[in-house]
Amino acid sequence: MSQSAPRSLHDLGYAGIERELAADGVKRHHAKALHRSLYREGNLDLSRPDFLPPLRQWIERRVGGEKGFTLDAPEVVDETRSSDGLTRKYLLRLQDGQTIETVLMGYDNRLTACISSQAGCAMGCVFCATGQMGFVRHLRPGEIVAQVLHVQRVIRADMPDRRLRNLVFMGMGEPLHNYNSVMHALDIISDCRGVGIGPAFISVSTVGVVPAILRMAEEGLPYNLAVSLHGSSEGERSALIPVSKKWPLADLVEACRSYGATTGRRIFFGWTLIAGKNDSPETAHRLVDLLKGIDSHINLIPLNPTAGFDGTTAQTAAALEFQRIIKEAGIPCTFRQRRGIDVAAGCGQLKANRLHKTA
Ligand code: SF4
């Protein structure tokens, strides 16, 4: 993190709050009230009458303006809702003016937050609106946590009898390119004293950052891993995902094999079906061979159209045949629902649409 980065209370988590209070001579047990207020209740106003005087005085001294700590309270600059009202997409403005996307997805009787890990993305996947924009910067842990808190506030206000269950990183950015911030944010998010989303309900997705997949296994991190494959030969894959030249398909599959063997966990493979590019029966058969011996689940994803890519989604017959081949080989294979399309829910599309409108 750069020297000039703002210090946010949302970056800290429980241990960090305890440490900061102790450094200023405030007893550690006051951390509980502040942590609960920030992360469980999602409060952005810390002038709480229920705080004891030492904590109130610390907040007066240390939070706001030039006093040291800020809060991550991203501003909603755009919001769209799907026609069925179940999916809501937010364009959020951060303290430095950068905008990111956060989505609340409500289907299959579950509420899922889909969040961003970076402003922009360096991976350059050709079919992705964020990839077409390029990389701006990594998000801090607090900026990642704040997206989940935003979604929880929306749920509390509009659907008070429901709760956020799942978390995925399918907004803007490649989470494993921002490893330390993402994993610190997930420590905070999975803390049952605060946000409280269990690790089993959290998925970290990657386009194939091989060293980081190996690191996740080595560190024994308890989250689900989702790998975007999109091609079963090197040529097929690197035409869609340029970063495949840096981490070739063979290395990626080996890393997944090692991850599976070390963690004993199933890996979810994402596959965006693009007509004529990666939807043939030969590709499906090759995919089956590639994943032999890895406990896998394949999610087939329809292509979300973007202005910068002229591909089209696979025809239904081709998609069903692709799925049949995989399932017949004994690999679970499902279609991801296309809920977001009428709210521009492919990552980067809301921001791209807004840039287009204001250009
Ligand atoms: S698909 Fe994901 S990894 Fe690829 S460019 Fe888009 S945001 Fe980045």
Side-chain angles (χ1 to χ4, degrees), residues 1-8 68 70 95-96 137 140:
M1 203 180 300
S2 77
Q3 287 293 311
S4 58
R7 299 182 76 210
S8 162
T70 60
Q95 286 177 24
D96 66 351
R137 70 168 174 86
R140 287 181 290 99

Side-chain angles (χ1 to χ4, degrees), residues 121 123-125 127-128 130-131 171-174 207 347:
C121 184
M123 299 295 132
C125 305
F127 51 82
C128 167
T130 305
M172 303 171 81
E174 158 58 58
V207 82
C347 89

